[in-house]
Amino acid sequence: MRVTTLLSLALPLLPFTVATLDSSRSEQPIDSAAIQQRREPRIRRRDDVPAGGAIEGTVFNGRNVPPATEIPGHKLEDTIAKGNWLVEFFSPDCGHCKHFAPTWQTLYEFYYTDDPVPQAEGNDEDMSSFTRYYDFHFAKVNCLAFGDACARMKIGNFPTIQLFKDGEVVKKEIGGQTMSAMSKWVEETLETIKPGSRVKEGMKLPKAGDHTVERLARLIPEPLDIVPKDVAGTKTKASTKATSTATRIKQSSLETAANIPLTAEKFQKYVTMTHDPWFVKFYAPWCHHCQEMAPNWQNMARQMKGKLNVGEVNCDEEKRLCRDVKVKGFPTILFFRGGERIEYDGLRGLGDLVSYATKTIAVGEGVPNVTATEFEELEKKEEVIFLYFYDAATTSEDFAALDRLVMSLIGHAKLVKTSDPDLATRFKISTWPRLLVSRDGKPSYYIGLSPQEMRDFRKVLNWMQTVWLPIVPELTAINAREVMNNRLVVLGILSRDRPEEFVIAKREIKNAALEWIDKQTSAFQLERQELRDAKQLRIEEAEDRNDQRALRSAKSIRINMDDVPRKEVGFAWVDGVFWERWLRTTYGISIRDGERVVINDEANKRYWDTTMTGNPIVSSRTSILETLRGVVANPPKIGSKSTTTPLGHVWWVIRGGLLTHPIVSSVVFVMVVIAMGAWGRRRYLRNSGGYIKLSEKSSMDGLLGGNAGSGTVGQGKVD
């Protein structure tokens, strides 16, 4: 109590140091607003904003501005864990904090109302708003109310402003700052988040306490040969409202749209500041790969004329732009839309570029709504479909989170939404919203049910990435690592040159995959039920004995199936003609001998190509499943072969042993250090006399070419 009293007397003095704020107490969620009201009972004018800027909603430039977020101490780490957060740590009793409060409040109001792309009228929740466009938030923490939280953040002075990115401190300033200094800090941060989105000449800033400020007019592009959304057929109801004057393009120029050179200024005007889709190549004239790709890029641009905006940036001339976009190699190809971007990492052939570009056109359409009949037709065309179920209670925030996923799925899978009761009945949906993936008609469900989990972009996308491959995908150079790593893979080696055999073999592999998945699902459910039964048995036993300690222990058991070791099995097929050389050198198999199947274990550099009877595995459901059961057994019932040389196999065995046994790794490391030390000591003692006997011949002369040449001993340098 004495510590608190002394601190309360010291707080209003000079910028002071606070090592701890009564950190010996456990943190209590004190109502900081009540504390401020008690000390600042009358807040009427903006100049009278209390330390921390905690006032009711205000109006700036004619727009309502909600109060800035004040983070409770026990939620601080969770709140700032994602996105960009500019946080002021203050004390209501700090004189410097009170002096800085109007500047902080006006800064927050100024940027909150600074929409990078004009919004739909009256829609403060539009995805183009400042907060959502940059994922940048203003917040504050009351260190008098939440001393432990400030101590955790090592706050020693008030006010302290810290910038967090995904929970990590990026920059820190101590003491009150001027409006221009704070704005410069914010502008530099925003430019790194969305390169080219800020006005280079800066902007007119308000003074602390101002209610309005004159905005610089947004840059309106000059006529350029680009495709607006409505002409490309990609405008939706939502985008119609949010269309800005920055995208008014002359219709007559569409006929000549092709590959457009982009400078930094044009990139800002046409790419960053609009919702238009852009497919952009970043290159260097001296880059050999860029030169090889140039004809295909130009041809693709001509084929996309009038459908998609295609451009290129010369990184020798636009070095800052390429640095801001974080171009690390040439060529780098990015797809942009509405401030979001995704990198194209596919092949660079003309057909590959055209195929990807065609898929990006549909991004502007948003997530299409389908009926049960339309979904059945879609299943005939698409192997993987993500289906989002919604009802009348689904909010605009839910749909906005869904729209963010579209770009990440380009080239991987189709995303649709529905409110059709027939589809809900088919997939047994009882809660809304709900997300599932249908692969060949077989559903897998996203386990998140709460609104927060359904809107968690990163969590949803991570789940999508685990299931967006078809049940039996084709193995290509693009997806090879994704398909083969960290699992056993049943790989069918097929040939398109024999169409009938090709179709039959694919069908057999898919049937084997579906049957294996069904059996694994049943085994998973049975294993989970056994664990639940075991937990219930412990609970009942503790209740019978009236043992409260054992009862609490039994109830605290958490059943986590992720902790149960299982061998994941995938299925795929590869074009045996196109990849003939790789298949022959890796597995010793040629497609000329007919369709074959191998089971590959990439993690251990081994494979199986024969059944338990010693016959080759063929593309038959029975042959595959019988062999697979023997392979997944522990230890495997069938002998494996190595995909590496004998020396390489020894290395993989040693490497695997060291990685899985840290104690053994430590012992080996110590032994290596001791051996190197002993070798170095012997070498030092041998040479310590200061001379080398050139007349003596080493036993290694014969291996190192000592018998070759003139036969004389060359000169050596004596230290």
Side-chain angles (χ1 to χ4, degrees):
M1 186 65 185
R2 179 179 299 175
V3 176
T4 305
T5 305
L6 292 175
L7 284 174
S8 63
L9 293 174
L11 285 173
L13 300 178
L14 298 173
F16 50 92
T17 301
V18 181
T20 63
L21 293 175
D22 201 8
S23 57
S24 61
R25 298 183 303 171
S26 61
E27 185 177 307
Q28 299 294 329
I30 301 172
D31 187 350
S32 57
I35 293 176
Q36 292 172 189
Q37 185 175 5
R38 189 164 60 247
R39 292 179 174 146
E40 301 282 344
R42 297 169 59 186
I43 301 175
R44 294 291 183 267
R45 296 176 295 105
R46 184 164 309 181
D47 295 338
D48 296 330
V49 173
I55 65 175
E56 295 182 357
T58 57
V59 176
F60 191 88
N61 271 359
R63 285 184 56 186
N64 294 325
V65 180
T69 303
E70 185 160 341
I71 307 174
H74 61 286
K75 294 183 179 180
L76 177 58
E77 286 80 0
D78 292 339
T79 303
I80 65 176
K82 295 181 180 179
N84 304 276
W85 288 83
L86 189 64
V87 183
E88 179 199 8
F89 296 87
F90 73 99
S91 168
D93 287 337
C94 164
H96 297 279
C97 300
K98 294 178 181 178
H99 184 267
F100 177 64
T103 302
W104 176 264
Q105 176 66 21
T106 305
L107 181 78
Y108 160 63
E109 294 173 349
F110 174 70
Y111 279 103
Y112 181 87
T113 57
D114 180 45
D115 299 326
V117 178
Q119 296 187 55
E121 189 173 339
N123 183 9
D124 288 344
E125 297 301 321
D126 190 277
M127 291 300 290
S128 301
S129 66
F130 172 85
T131 303
R132 295 198 177 193
Y133 185 81
Y134 290 106
D135 196 11
F136 190 98
H137 312 264
F138 290 82
K140 51 189 180 292
V141 177
N142 186 335
C143 290
L144 186 60
F146 304 106
D148 286 355
C150 296
R152 291 198 304 271
M153 292 295 170
K154 300 179 181 179
I155 302 301
N157 305 83
F158 299 138
T160 293
I161 302 98
Q162 288 190 346
L163 175 65
F164 297 89
K165 179 176 178 60
D166 296 333
E168 299 293 330
V169 179
V170 176
K171 189 175 180 181
K172 178 178 180 179
E173 293 290 347
I174 298 175
Q177 308 290 318
T178 63
M179 182 68 71
S180 59
M182 290 298 300
S183 178
K184 182 180 179 182
W185 184 5
V186 173
E187 289 295 322
E188 290 174 352
T189 304
L190 300 179
E191 182 64 23
T192 62
I193 299 171
K194 301 284 187 182
S197 64
R198 308 306 296 174
V199 180
K200 287 186 176 181
E201 294 76 13
M203 55 182 66
K204 186 175 181 180
L205 298 175
K207 297 179 181 179
D210 282 354
H211 296 267
T212 183
V213 67
E214 180 183 357
R215 298 282 188 188
L216 291 178
R218 287 291 176 189
L219 296 174
I220 300 178
E222 299 171 358
L224 186 66
D225 296 339
I226 71 174
V227 184
K229 296 184 290 299
D230 54 343
V231 176
T234 59
K235 183 176 284 189
T236 64
K237 287 185 177 180
S239 64
T240 302
K241 294 181 180 179
T243 302
S244 68
T245 55
T247 62
R248 294 174 184 167
I249 313 298
K250 285 188 176 180
Q251 302 289 325
S252 60
S253 64
L254 296 176
E255 298 301 323
T256 59
N259 188 29
I260 303 171
L262 295 170
T263 62
E265 290 74 19
K266 288 182 179 179
F267 188 87
Q268 177 186 350
K269 294 178 184 179
Y270 300 113
V271 181
T272 308
M273 303 292 289
T274 73
H275 284 283
D276 295 327
W278 278 88
F279 200 26
V280 183
K281 175 185 70 172
F282 295 83
Y283 73 100
W286 46 264
C287 166
H288 178 66
H289 297 291
C290 303
Q291 295 169 3
E292 288 185 343
M293 177 188 169
N296 291 337
W297 183 262
Q298 293 289 350
N299 289 334
M300 179 274 298
R302 281 193 289 269
Q303 292 189 35
M304 290 294 107
K305 182 175 63 175
K307 303 175 184 177
L308 176 69
N309 300 314
V310 179
E312 61 182 16
V313 176
N314 184 338
C315 288
D316 274 3
E317 298 178 356
E318 304 293 340
K319 294 182 179 179
R320 178 180 175 182
L321 172 59
C322 295
R323 184 171 60 251
D324 290 341
V325 177
K326 295 181 174 57
V327 174
K328 297 181 180 179
F330 301 121
T332 293
I333 305 172
L334 299 173
F335 175 71
F336 296 88
R337 184 180 181 273
E340 302 289 337
R341 75 177 192 180
I342 185 171
E343 183 172 359
Y344 171 73
D345 57 0
L347 300 177
R348 299 167 186 168
L350 176 59
D352 302 297
L353 292 172
V354 171
S355 175
Y356 184 85
T358 302
K359 293 175 181 177
T360 63
I361 296 174
V363 171
E365 300 174 358
V367 182
N369 194 70
V370 297
T371 63
T373 303
E374 292 170 337
F375 185 77
E376 290 175 1
E377 291 298 321
L378 192 60
E379 285 182 302
K380 298 176 182 177
K381 305 174 184 176
E382 302 285 344
E383 290 186 283
V384 182
I385 308 172
F386 287 97
L387 182 59
Y388 183 88
F389 290 86
Y390 69 93
D391 60 3
T394 306
T395 66
S396 59
E397 190 170 1
D398 292 319
F399 288 121
L402 182 66
D403 288 336
R404 288 191 63 194
L405 297 167
V406 177
M407 284 188 57
S408 300
L409 295 178
I410 296 175
H412 295 288
K414 184 79 173 177
L415 174 62
V416 296
K417 61 186 177 184
T418 185
S419 59
D420 194 318
D422 291 338
L423 281 173
T425 302
R426 171 185 168 182
F427 291 107
K428 301 178 182 178
I429 301 299
S430 57
T431 59
W432 289 263
R434 195 73 195 273
L435 180 64
L436 63 83
V437 60
S438 175
R439 298 188 294 171
D440 292 300
K442 193 169 193 64
S444 299
Y445 298 84
Y446 174 58
I447 60 175
L449 296 176
S450 67
Q452 183 178 0
E453 289 175 315
M454 291 297 295
R455 299 168 189 166
D456 190 332
F457 170 78
R458 184 52 54 192
K459 186 174 182 179
V460 174
L461 183 58
N462 287 340
W463 170 77
M464 285 181 162
Q465 289 173 341
T466 64
V467 293
W468 67 16
L469 286 175
I471 291 179
V472 186
E474 180 184 1
L475 187 70
T476 65
I478 299 173
N479 64 12
R481 287 297 174 190
E482 188 177 7
V483 172
M484 302 289 276
N485 280 356
N486 305 318
R487 70 182 78 181
L488 293 173
V489 177
V490 177
L491 183 63
I493 303 171
L494 312 180
S495 172
R496 288 190 175 96
D497 294 342
R498 298 189 282 266
E500 293 184 2
E501 295 179 11
F502 175 74
V503 172
I504 295 173
K506 275 191 67 176
R507 184 172 62 246
E508 286 292 309
I509 295 174
K510 181 173 291 188
N511 290 338
L514 293 172
E515 185 172 336
W516 178 264
I517 292 172
D518 287 338
K519 290 182 177 180
Q520 292 301 302
T521 302
S522 299
F524 174 85
Q525 294 172 346
L526 179 61
E527 190 173 7
R528 182 174 57 185
Q529 187 59 47
E530 289 176 350
L531 293 173
R532 288 175 175 174
D533 292 342
K535 175 181 177 179
Q536 184 61 31
L537 187 62
R538 290 192 180 189
I539 293 175
E540 293 174 356
E541 184 180 359
E543 289 175 341
D544 292 341
R545 298 200 316 263
N546 198 23
D547 188 340
Q548 296 300 317
R549 182 176 181 181
L551 181 60
R552 288 193 298 270
S553 177
K555 289 183 176 181
S556 66
I557 295 175
R558 294 290 180 267
I559 298 174
N560 187 357
M561 298 303 293
D562 293 336
D563 296 336
V564 179
R566 287 186 301 274
K567 286 189 177 180
E568 184 179 356
V569 177
F571 294 78
W573 69 274
V574 64
D575 189 332
V577 176
F578 188 84
W579 296 104
E580 182 179 12
R581 181 178 178 183
W582 173 73
L583 292 169
R584 188 171 61 251
T585 56
T586 306
Y587 305 116
I589 293 176
S590 174
I591 190 62
R592 298 174 186 175
D593 300 328
E595 276 75 11
R596 293 280 298 277
V597 175
V598 297
I599 300 175
N600 188 77
D601 182 5
E602 186 66 20
N604 296 301
K605 298 296 179 182
R606 59 181 180 173
Y607 70 97
W608 293 262
D609 63 350
T610 58
T611 64
M612 298 185 71
T613 59
N615 297 319
I617 310 173
V618 296
S619 51
S620 161
R621 179 177 61 88
T622 303
S623 177
I624 293 171
L625 292 178
E626 287 181 352
T627 308
L628 192 54
R629 280 191 287 268
V631 169
V632 299
N634 191 14
K637 298 179 180 179
I638 306 174
S640 64
K641 299 178 182 179
S642 176
T643 58
T644 63
T645 61
L647 184 61
H649 181 67
V650 171
W651 160 245
W652 275 100
V653 172
I654 296 175
R655 180 175 177 269
L658 294 177
L659 291 177
T660 54
H661 298 86
I663 296 178
V664 175
S665 304
S666 302
V667 173
V668 171
F669 176 76
V670 172
M671 293 177 63
V672 170
V673 171
I674 294 174
M676 292 181 64
W679 177 79
R681 185 171 182 273
R682 289 181 59 188
R683 184 179 177 84
Y684 172 77
L685 292 175
R686 186 176 63 184
N687 296 334
S688 60
Y691 64 91
I692 300 175
K693 294 183 179 180
L694 298 179
S695 60
E696 294 183 359
K697 299 189 69 177
S698 168
S699 61
M700 299 295 290
D701 281 350
L703 294 178
L704 298 179
N707 296 328
S710 62
T712 60
V713 179
Q715 293 182 345
K717 182 179 180 180
V718 181
D719 294 330

